[in-house]
Amino acid sequence: MVKFTAREIRDIIISLLVISLAFDYIINGRDLDATIANFGYMVVVVGFGFVLHELAHKFTAIRYGYWAEYKMWFQGLILALITSYFGFVFAAPGAVYIHGYNIKKSENGIISLAGPATNIILAVLFLMAMPLAAQYNLLGLAVLGATINSFLAVFNLIPLVVLDGAKIFRWNPLIWIASMVLALILLAYSLFGVHIFSML
């Protein structure tokens, strides 16, 4: 059964707002007025990818019979805001903590993969929606959704101890390589390929 504690809901909301602000600040060229004006819009676009990423970890862990709860990382929240000033977001505001005995390496790897895989799927969906979005003057939304989600996938697949990539790599290096290559291709296309599309 999926349950959310009051603290978990609070942590998700705080993390969502902070990570949205960090991306908002960069995307708007570190213009405070534009950042404030577009904040609500960014909460929807960025938050969608962030929340589904974390929920994918939680639901997958629960499927294996473990207790899973999202907890924000205060230092990560501060780091996200600081790095945004320098044009980059260290997007690790928190993590889903899993409690259980004898968690198998394969289970831990699949649980870790669930988050980046969700972002990869979302990036593909946003890219596929581009032709329709262009007809309704929403191309910018589709591009932003694809870019943010592909970036979140790439970032979380970096094989650092605190990120998903390290656990995925320890479980299955080939799956890690395939996931990272796909995420990088999607990010490159989101950043550069869509501009070619928009000029056609």
Side-chain angles (χ1 to χ4, degrees):
M1 182 181 296
V2 178
K3 294 182 179 179
F4 291 89
T5 64
R7 183 179 65 179
E8 183 177 21
I9 294 172
R10 179 206 64 185
D11 285 3
I12 289 174
I13 292 173
I14 292 174
S15 299
L16 165 63
L17 294 175
V18 171
I19 204 71
S20 297
L21 179 62
F23 276 106
D24 188 20
Y25 186 59
I26 290 178
I27 290 170
N28 286 288
R30 295 187 290 186
D31 182 325
L32 285 177
D33 291 334
T35 297
I36 294 171
N38 294 302
F39 183 64
Y41 173 74
M42 289 302 297
V43 167
V44 174
V45 176
V46 176
F48 189 60
F50 166 73
V51 171
L52 289 182
H53 175 109
E54 298 302 336
L55 290 180
H57 288 313
K58 181 181 178 76
F59 293 159
T60 306
I62 291 173
R63 180 177 175 274
Y64 283 116
Y66 303 118
W67 170 258
E69 181 180 3
Y70 177 82
K71 295 180 182 179
M72 67 180 180
W73 178 36
F74 182 74
Q75 293 90 334
L77 295 173
I78 298 301
L79 193 56
L81 293 175
I82 292 174
T83 53
S84 68
Y85 179 79
F86 298 98
F88 174 79
V89 178
F90 185 83
V96 171
Y97 288 81
I98 303 166
H99 305 279
Y101 295 101
N102 300 318
I103 300 176
K104 298 177 182 178
K105 184 185 292 186
S106 60
E107 292 175 341
N108 199 25
I110 292 170
I111 291 168
S112 300
L113 179 62
T118 297
N119 292 126
I120 287 173
I121 292 170
L122 288 172
V124 170
L125 291 176
F126 274 114
L127 289 172
M128 290 175 62
M130 280 175 49
L132 180 62
Q135 295 179 23
Y136 293 94
N137 296 318
L138 294 174
L139 182 60
L141 176 64
V143 172
L144 186 58
T147 303
I148 293 295
N149 278 284
S150 54
F151 170 80
L152 288 174
V154 169
F155 178 82
N156 282 282
L157 283 168
I158 296 172
L160 294 177
V161 176
V162 297
L163 299 175
D164 299 324
K167 288 169 279 190
I168 297 168
F169 187 84
R170 284 197 297 269
W171 162 53
N172 193 316
L174 291 179
I175 289 179
W176 176 83
I177 291 171
S179 301
M180 179 60 93
V181 168
L182 179 56
L184 285 170
I185 291 172
L186 288 170
L187 180 58
Y189 185 75
S190 299
L191 290 172
F192 306 110
V194 293
H195 297 295
I196 297 174
F197 172 85
S198 63
M199 291 186 293
L200 296 178

